[in-house]
Amino acid sequence: MYEMKQLAQVSPRAAILESFARLEKTLREIVEMGPENEKGRHFTSARELARRAADQGFLTPSELSAFDDVSVLRNTVAHRRDTDIDTDRALEYTALVRQLIIALALAKGRTIADGPIT
């Protein structure tokens, strides 16, 4: 979290994009590498990954809704250069994304004994 704070202070947009990339990586690890993906399917969108994670019980409906919210802001930041994002908003965003990553890790069965959740 400290590194996201530093990044948000330098570039709020970069903090949002990096946070979302980490969330997508976590979703990809859970969905694509899980036993439910018997055919080794590669999912192209983060939204599709999130839906599959919810279908498999790794995200609750409220977490899936939060994912949709962070996805909208990420896409806005990624595709509209005129979007004004300040440090505080970026930090709120990174905190919410971190909560989703932790929720996914816990739903997958990780514990504190497994080490820090990144």
Side-chain angles (χ1 to χ4, degrees):
M1 185 68 176
Y2 177 71
E3 67 186 14
M4 283 297 128
K5 183 176 182 178
Q6 287 182 309
L7 185 56
Q9 290 170 341
V10 174
S11 174
R13 298 173 74 82
I16 287 171
L17 295 173
E18 177 61 24
S19 292
F20 192 84
R22 291 178 185 195
L23 175 58
E24 185 174 2
K25 178 180 179 252
T26 301
L27 282 166
R28 200 165 293 288
E29 289 170 353
I30 288 171
V31 173
E32 290 184 350
M33 296 176 193
E36 293 84 4
N37 191 18
E38 298 164 355
K39 297 177 183 173
R41 184 170 174 215
H42 179 74
F43 297 89
T44 56
S45 77
R47 182 161 286 170
E48 187 179 11
L49 287 165
R51 300 277 179 272
R52 292 284 295 189
D55 290 346
Q56 295 171 14
F58 293 112
L59 288 175
T60 67
S62 64
E63 291 165 344
L64 184 58
S65 178
F67 172 84
D68 288 337
D69 291 343
V70 299
S71 180
V72 167
L73 183 56
R74 179 265 175 210
N75 289 340
T76 300
V77 166
H79 301 291
R80 292 193 55 201
R81 302 304 279 165
D82 62 341
T83 304
D84 187 31
I85 302 293
D86 64 18
T87 301
D88 289 337
R89 187 164 181 204
L91 289 173
E92 290 170 6
Y93 179 94
T94 60
L96 179 55
V97 168
R98 176 112 173 100
Q99 289 174 349
L100 288 171
I101 290 171
I102 290 169
L104 285 163
L106 293 175
K108 190 175 179 208
R110 288 206 44 194
T111 67
I112 197 162
D114 296 319
I117 298 171
T118 56

